[in-house]
Amino acid sequence: MVSIRQVARQVGVSTATVSRALERPHVVAEATRQKIMAAVAKLGYTPNFQARQLRTRKSHMILVLVPDIGNPFFSEIIKGMEQVAHTRGYSLLLGDTHDDTEREHHYGSRVMARQADGVITLSARIPFRNARELISKGTLPPTVNACECLENAPVPTVQIDNAAAAEKMTHFLLDLGHRRVAFVTGPLASRLSVDRLKGYRKALKTAGIEEKKELIFNGDFLAESGAVAAEKFLGLRSAPTAVFCSNDEMALGLIRTLKAKGLRVPEDMSVAGFDDIPLARYFDPPLTTILQPKLDIGRESMKILCDMLDGRQPAQQDHTLPYQLVVRDSTGRRRAR
Amino acid sequence: MVSIRQVARQVGVSTATVSRALERPHVVAEATRQKIMAAVAKLGYTPNFQARQLRTRKSHMILVLVPDIGNPFFSEIIKGMEQVAHTRGYSLLLGDTHDDTEREHHYGSRVMARQADGVITLSARIPFRNARELISKGTLPPTVNACECLENAPVPTVQIDNAAAAEKMTHFLLDLGHRRVAFVTGPLASRLSVDRLKGYRKALKTAGIEEKKELIFNGDFLAESGAVAAEKFLGLRSAPTAVFCSNDEMALGLIRTLKAKGLRVPEDMSVAGFDDIPLARYFDPPLTTILQPKLDIGRESMKILCDMLDGRQPAQQDHTLPYQLVVRDSTGRRRAR
DNA sequence: CTGAAAGCGCTTACAG
DNA sequence: CTGAAAGCGCTTACAG
């Protein structure tokens, strides 16, 4: 590896001058600068980032913690993060946590070790072992949360209003004449899943419809659990005429089972999803769902973190982005059976 | 930030001893070690990675370059990479290149700057501006390629035999009685897409079937291009009875248009895909496709790179992983019209 | 088993 | 506009 000293020697200047020529070209005499640039090119010099980072005490890396990078919902968000990070001179240190606390702490320690300047997490936990202590001491490293919600923590959060979105979708189904509207939850350990359930409940209440326990199925966001939910709902004495799933994958799994049992969607049962993953419009039937602005969630959370690293604290804690109810063909008016 | 000096001072030993206690505990007297560990805990000391990296000249980071992190095929592969990286003590520096050479070079320069010890790329290019020169000088940083194939470059490649897989699928369709088998390519700038096309052609040739130009559609791996392909094929005087798409998304887009036009799959037209993304089994009909071992591709490529970083060159350049023809319901025997 | 010292490759106040 | 010097926070041969 060629270092700054070799460039300096070649040109006959000090390393300080080489450093300046590279970092703040205008403070160096033009002639000097040109000689330096020529030497840099000739020697194929690339500044050592680690050295620079150590000296400037900045890594220009952002740790991104995701429960499952294979999930298309998350990977879209990360795409948005990368866009902003790139334009602002940061790189992504990616940690797939498998939703495991140990792994979160493992990666979180990289921030403590200054390998990253801050962290954006897509799960509901702060990834530091001694999070409470750090918070009370006011020494929590710059942290932003996307999609989830960290309670009692001074951490900016970027998400849609999950409860309101779920409420809206439920009302939409209700307005279509459905009275027995079932709901498939996500893993209830996550705040976002709970919020969606709340929204569903609130809509029922507003409409004066009694909540039926058997119409709520605890899913896990995987397509297969939608399939299991379908089996269960179909086994009921009185099956629902509409099902609202907490994500698109579960809706897809549910629809598949419905069709396998000879039911038509939406004629025999309406089905709605949540997220609007890229393939949702290609489902058969195309899925009615809640569009989450995935790229924007990624972009906004990264923007906030970068601002924090630049010393600008966000004006507010909660950043609520707009969602959209996308009506496609998987939902329809309730029909007499 | 508390540094190693403060720990040393607290215990009354040198920084060297603290460093040893942390890195090679057995070379330090047990009593000393315990005092040090106590101080570490008390002060909340975390070693500074950047300093360690600079000193040891190892970043323990791997640059992973992906054309589109939002693509579920790629994100599964990255998942596999992360698994191996984590167990071997490496972290992922993620670069989304949008298939853009400039961005590849931007991220590639991070390796030159020692911010990463090596790179795995999922595109067909070596991400260094002066790649040729580096190769001829023998100073190419450790590089591994996954899924694509870098010609004339001393870079290990991990992939399935795309040509053989495509050939097998084509034979499968032919054996079902189809004679007019269409093919939707991926972007032909990529070697892998060309290989699949080659396999398709070879199968036709072996079967003694003349290749028809109008039965080959140049797609781009997006669902929409499958839809466009469907329009085109349906507009032919003599439409194909089977279509083989170079990935699952295009197959899905194609199927949607087919259905919209009133055709049944597979009764009126058989459709096959490639990759076996997680949702492929939930398509309607469930998609016949080539299963690529995505996690294994990720794992294997990371294993090879880590081995290289440990000084172990891989025995061979090409690492060909097994694929699988998965027959589901989107393909069937050719029927008389 | 431990310490003093050198050094990884930069950047930056300070002085001129 | 430029240089000498200090220092970021570690690790490691060397010596004892």
Side-chain angles (χ1 to χ4, degrees), chain B residues 253-303:
Chain B
L254 185 130
I255 289 172
R256 190 187 64 162
T257 297
L258 257 27
K259 287 176 177 172
K261 303 268 182 187
L263 281 102
R264 293 160 306 163
V265 176
E267 291 81 353
D268 299 318
M269 199 179 285
S270 284
V271 179
F274 205 109
D275 287 350
D276 196 27
I277 59 174
L279 289 188
R281 69 178 63 220
Y282 291 98
F283 288 3
D284 181 20
L287 192 68
T288 294
T289 189
I290 296 288
L291 182 157
Q292 286 211 64
K294 295 167 280 295
L295 282 179
D296 286 337
I297 290 174
R299 289 195 192 112
E300 184 69 16
S301 52
M302 184 58 75
K303 228 176 266 172

Side-chain angles (χ1 to χ4, degrees), chain A residues 44-73:
Chain A
Y45 169 65
T46 310
N48 183 314
F49 253 75
Q50 293 167 352
R52 178 178 294 176
Q53 288 169 356
L54 177 60
R55 180 59 228 235
T56 61
R57 302 159 145 280
K58 248 207 121 173
S59 69
H60 284 279
M61 300 260 302
I62 305 289
L63 173 64
V64 173
L65 253 28
V66 53
D68 175 11
I69 181 64
N71 181 315
F73 174 68

